Amino acid sequence: MSGNVWVFAEQWRGRISEITYEALALGKELAGALQVPLEAILLGHNVLPLAGTLGKADTVLAGEHPALAELVPGLYAEALAALVEERAPCAVLIPLTNISLGMGTLLAARLHLPSVNFCQDVRAAAAGIEARCVLYGGKIESRVTAAGTPAIFGIWSGARSPEAGRSDRAPSVEEVRVTVPDDTRVRLKRYIEPEAGDVDITRQEVLVAVGRGIQSPENLALAEDLARSLGGAVCASRPVIDQGWLPLSRQVGKSGLTVKPKLYVALGISGAPEHVEGMRDSSLIVAVNSDPRAPIFGVAHYGIVGDVLEVLPALTAAIEARKEAHSHA
Ligand SMILES: Cc1cc2nc3c(=O)[nH]c(=O)nc-3n(C[C@H](O)[C@H](O)[C@H](O)COP(=O)(O)OP(=O)(O)OC[C@H]3O[C@@H](n4cnc5c(N)ncnc54)[C@H](O)[C@@H]3O)c2cc1C
């Protein structure tokens, strides 16, 4: 198979996104199997200083253009399309985030290339390059072989650990000429920063997280009791936020916040990839779920199979009793 493996290096306001390192780790494995170099594609405005952080790649192809100061997927897709046509990589791995979502699909449509999204793995197979895709929050997995090259793969968070994609090695950097169209249908008008929440869950050492299994807003008081006992705060999965039971500032996950507390207690949360993405780096994860096959048990260090409405008050009572015993010791 000819052509190098490319990873699109997503950057946001002067920082390389964590998922870029995940994609680099995956890209390195694929490039190794295909025995071709791995190249990171770094596009933007004033981004050249970031190239040194992409040492997992053999080479960084860095392209600067003032029009790429903001990450507008259509513009980036055009800039990438010109490079793909010129250099014909065999595979282009693009992080699937709220920032880059759509870029890979636009690129594939523009050049009539095969495109596979929601990939957790991309491998060299006898029939071509094969991707393992995760759909419907992890409930369905499918294997897809791209119909030819270059092929575009949208990489879902969690494909590899970001640590595996970092390197102290300095990559060779090649500056490339970037062409972008003068006219574009989509323009960025302005950013709207979300309102600051009452509690900053990214700074808490202890988080008590509730999911759909908590069943009703009245039951949130049980989680508040446990959080108070542990000296932490309550956060939630998306369905709880969508129902308006807690403010958006308490949402953990892909479309919420990423948290890394010392203790994360997941109550009635299934463990969909979009949730796990936001909490998997917590130091200690304790999960309570009535379904022993719930995916959350795959990331939890400790698990309790049980009804959250029974376990919650029992946990709070046990912690209070322990605190009481210590105060008299
Ligand atoms: C683009 C995109 C972005 C997303 N962003 C996010 C995000 O930022 N954050 C997020 O959380 N999700 C996000 N999602 C949604 C995600 O896919 C899941 O749908 C969501 O995380 C599921 O939430 P849940 O675990 O609370 O609910 P469910 O998946 O419905 O799970 C409920 C769990 O509770 C358990 N349960 C039920 N009753 C009890 C009981 N009495 N006691 C104990 N356990 C019980 C069940 O066994 C089940 O495992 C996103 C989805 C998409 C497509």
Side-chain angles (χ1 to χ4, degrees):
M1 191 174 295
S2 65
N4 298 342
V5 172
W6 282 12
V7 167
F8 174 74
E10 182 187 281
Q11 46 82 25
W12 178 248
R13 298 188 168 183
R15 288 191 60 190
I16 298 287
S17 310
E18 285 293 282
I19 191 171
T20 295
Y21 297 107
E22 297 182 21
L24 280 171
L26 179 56
K28 193 73 180 176
E29 288 175 26
L30 179 64
L34 295 170
Q35 299 187 320
V36 298
L38 172 66
E39 294 177 322
I41 315 303
L42 178 63
L43 302 178
H45 187 45
N46 298 327
V47 289
L48 214 50
L50 301 176
T53 65
L54 303 169
K56 196 76 179 177
D58 299 297
T59 305
V60 178
L61 305 181
E64 295 266 358
H65 198 293
L68 299 179
E70 305 292 354
L71 216 156
V72 177
L75 276 181
Y76 271 73
E78 288 293 335
L80 258 179
L83 288 171
V84 169
E85 277 190 314
E86 184 187 317
R87 292 171 181 248
C90 64
V92 184
L93 276 48
I94 300 183
L96 272 191
T97 67
N98 289 345
I99 303 170
S100 300
L101 199 73
M103 184 194 307
T105 312
L106 286 169
L107 169 65
R110 165 85 170 67
L111 298 181
H112 303 288
L113 298 176
S115 163
V116 189
N117 271 332
F118 307 113
C119 305
Q120 285 265 280
D121 212 353
V122 181
R123 289 175 184 276
I129 302 179
E130 184 192 83
R132 182 171 61 83
C133 311
V134 177
L135 309 167
Y136 294 103
K139 294 185 179 73
I140 296 179
E141 262 195 27
S142 70
R143 285 177 195 274
V144 182
T145 304
T149 62
I152 316 299
F153 298 94
I155 307 301
W156 207 225
S157 169
R160 294 293 181 275
S161 82
E163 283 63 42
R166 292 187 221 278
S167 169
D168 293 335
R169 180 189 154 273
S172 70
V173 181
E174 178 186 342
E175 289 190 51
V176 294
R177 203 170 64 86
V178 174
T179 44
V180 288
D182 296 334
D183 192 25
T184 161
R185 290 186 195 167
V186 179
R187 283 176 207 283
L188 184 97
K189 293 185 86 169
R190 68 182 169 117
Y191 287 110
I192 303 170
E193 293 287 349
E195 283 174 26
D198 53 339
V199 173
D200 184 353
I201 59 170
T202 64
R203 291 176 179 271
Q204 300 291 320
E205 293 200 338
V206 176
L207 285 173
V208 174
V210 290
R212 217 194 304 257
I214 198 75
Q215 295 165 41
S216 79
E218 290 72 41
N219 295 333
L220 282 176
L222 296 173
E224 293 285 359
D225 288 345
L226 179 62
R228 205 173 304 113
S229 239
L230 290 168
V234 173
C235 60
S237 67
R238 183 162 155 177
V240 172
I241 307 298
D242 284 351
Q243 293 185 82
W245 298 352
L246 283 169
L248 185 59
S249 56
R250 304 283 187 111
Q251 182 177 322
V252 172
K254 176 179 277 302
S255 45
L257 294 163
T258 298
V259 297
K260 293 181 185 176
K262 286 186 179 162
L263 172 63
Y264 190 88
V265 187
L267 303 162
I269 293 179
S270 59
E274 297 85 3
H275 184 80
V276 170
E277 176 181 337
M279 48 65 77
R280 65 170 170 231
D281 291 331
S282 306
S283 308
L284 184 70
I285 300 169
V286 178
V288 182
N289 200 301
S290 50
D291 177 3
R293 291 174 306 159
I296 192 74
F297 290 129
V299 288
H301 301 97
Y302 294 96
I304 301 172
V305 178
D307 185 335
V308 80
L309 300 183
E310 288 173 16
V311 176
L312 247 177
L315 270 180
T316 308
I319 289 158
E320 285 302 317
R322 182 69 67 91
K323 280 162 65 176
E324 180 75 11
H326 272 283
S327 68
H328 293 302

